[in-house]
Each structure stands twice: as C-alpha cells, then as structure tokens.
C-alpha cells in the first residue's frame, strides 16, 4: 500500500510535465516539412518595388528620357521630365503605366518599360532573421524559398544559439493577426533532419534565442 502511494506521488509530477509540454506545443505549432529542392518551381507573388531598389527605366525611341535610378528612402524616384514619382508599393508594370501618363504630357504615346536591377523589396516581401545567427539580416524573398535557404544566406547559427527554441512569426492575411510557429533549426542544420525544413513566405520573421547554458 505504501509503495503504491509513493508510486502515485512520483508519477504525478511526470504527468503534469507531459501535460504542460503538450500545452506549450499546442500554443506554438510546427509548420509542415518542405523538400530541400522544390519538386516543381512556381512563380511567386508579383514583385512590389521597395525603397533602395535599383530601377532601369526605358522609354522607347527616347533615350534622353531613359534612366537608371535608385528608389529613394521616401519611396519616390526622379527621372528626366518627372520629379518625385511615387514608386514604392507598385509593381514594375504599374509604375510603367504611371510614367506613361506623366510623359504623355510631353511626348505622344510613350512606351515605357521598368526593369528592377537591384532587389530590396518592401518589408512585406523580405524575410528577416534576427538573434543568434552569424549575420542577422533582411533578405529578399524569392519563390519557393525554404528555411534552409534563409539560414544559408545568413551564415547559419551562432555558437551559442538555441536553434530548436527558434520561432517564426508570420502575418496571417486572412485573419489580420500574427501567428507564431516553432522551428527546429538545430535539428535541421546540425543533424540534417529534413522534416525540420519548412517553406517560407514573404514577410516572415525568424527569431533565434541564445542558449542559457
């Protein structure tokens, strides 16, 4: 009888710990695994121009109106005959249409093309990695990007990183809320666990804490 009571007392903390760990996992779910290489490459969302992007603007048969410009931090550009044209938040095609309208006051039926040479993108199109990594950075999202791709871009984990305690913060456009997901970076980078590799989305933020030990 006494042994049975002792056994119950010893078992209770273990059960509590399991239940507690279950609650934590339920509060921060994991994303489904992604392949190291996409089985089928697909185009991403249409690119949106961001501050500091390099643009090549070509006006057909009017080389004097063509220009290579950088989007200013305030989100505008200046080209021959056009000053302070808003560029941030537009696709290259949208900006080309706006420039056609502006240049139409000076030349007849202008044909304008906008090509993005240097990509920075808006914050909503970047993936930001902060915390215990070799070089925290904001990197432009590209189609079919995975967690492994992002970690290679920032040089992997730092010496004291708690990789399996990392988390991903993602804005849910359907609900208008942020959601957090658990990441297993140590399992992915140190143990080669392919199930820990997940697909990323534009605007994702990856936070990597340091180990307490």
């Amino acid at each position: 009888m006494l042994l049975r009571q002792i056994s119950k007392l010893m078992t209770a903390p273990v059960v509590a710990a399991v239940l507690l760990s279950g609650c934590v996992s339920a509060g921060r779910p994991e994303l489904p695994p992604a392949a190291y290489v996409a089985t089928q490459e697909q185009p991403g969302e249409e690119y949106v121009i961001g501050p500091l992007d390099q643009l090549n603007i070509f006006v057909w048969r009017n080389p004097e109106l063509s220009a290579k410009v950088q989007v200013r931090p305030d989100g505008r550009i200046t080209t021959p005959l056009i000053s302070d044209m808003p560029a941030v938040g537009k696709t290259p095609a949208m900006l080309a249409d706006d420039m056609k309208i502006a240049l139409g006051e000076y030349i007849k039926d202008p044909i304008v093309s906008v090509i993005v040479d240097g990509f920075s993108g808006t914050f909503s199109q970047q993936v930001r990695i902060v915390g215990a990594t070799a070089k925290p950075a904001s990197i432009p999202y590209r189609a079919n990007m995975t967690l492994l791709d992002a970690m290679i871009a920032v040089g992997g984990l730092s010496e004291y990183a708690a990789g399996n305690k990392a988390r991903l913060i993602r804005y849910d456009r359907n609900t208008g809320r942020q959601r957090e997901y658990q990441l297993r970076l140590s399992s992915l980078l140190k143990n080669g666990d392919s199930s820990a590799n997940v697909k990323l989305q534009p605007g994702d933020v990856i936070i990597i804490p340091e180990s307490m030990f």
Side-chain angles (χ1 to χ4, degrees):
M1 185 70 177
L2 178 60
L3 291 173
R4 185 177 298 175
Q5 290 177 345
I6 293 173
S7 176
K8 287 182 178 179
L9 290 173
M10 293 179 65
T11 304
V14 175
V15 173
V18 171
L19 291 175
L20 181 59
S21 64
C23 293
V24 172
S25 298
R28 189 177 292 164
E30 289 191 19
L31 292 163
Y36 284 122
V37 178
T39 56
Q40 183 178 0
E41 296 291 338
Q42 297 178 348
E45 297 180 5
E46 199 166 8
Y47 186 79
V48 176
I49 296 169
L52 306 183
D53 277 356
Q54 299 280 351
L55 306 180
N56 190 353
I57 298 171
F58 175 74
V59 184
W60 190 56
R61 289 186 176 177
N62 290 273
E64 70 281 1
L65 299 180
S66 301
K68 290 186 177 182
V69 298
Q70 184 178 42
V71 181
R72 302 196 306 255
D74 65 359
R76 300 172 182 271
I77 60 172
T78 296
T79 64
L81 299 181
I82 301 176
S83 60
D84 294 336
M85 166 70 74
V88 165
K90 300 177 181 178
T91 65
M94 290 168 60
L95 179 58
D97 288 340
D98 289 346
M99 295 197 69
K100 289 177 187 178
I101 295 173
L103 289 173
E105 299 181 8
Y106 306 99
I107 59 177
K108 184 179 180 181
D109 298 328
I111 298 175
V112 182
S113 297
V114 176
I115 301 171
V116 183
D117 284 336
F119 301 88
S120 293
T122 61
F123 284 130
S124 63
Q125 289 187 311
Q126 295 177 358
V127 174
R128 286 169 280 179
I129 304 98
V130 296
T133 180
K135 45 180 181 180
S138 294
I139 57 177
Y141 174 83
R142 62 173 177 77
N144 305 303
M145 178 179 281
T146 68
L147 181 60
L148 179 63
D149 299 324
M151 294 310 300
I152 290 174
V154 297
L157 298 172
S158 70
E159 182 180 359
Y160 302 105
N164 282 354
K165 293 184 179 179
R167 63 188 190 273
L168 181 146
I169 300 175
R170 175 173 293 171
Y171 176 74
D172 190 330
R173 297 180 182 179
N174 295 324
T175 63
R177 296 181 179 179
Q178 289 187 159
R179 298 193 63 185
E180 289 194 11
Y181 298 92
Q182 179 182 349
L183 296 177
R184 295 183 291 115
L185 289 174
S186 294
S187 298
L188 173 64
L189 301 177
K190 296 181 180 180
N191 302 329
D193 185 353
S194 60
S195 68
N197 193 29
V198 300
K199 283 188 176 182
L200 298 180
Q201 293 182 7
D204 281 351
V205 178
I206 298 168
I207 300 176
I208 309 168
E210 288 190 347
S211 175
M212 299 299 292
F213 304 99

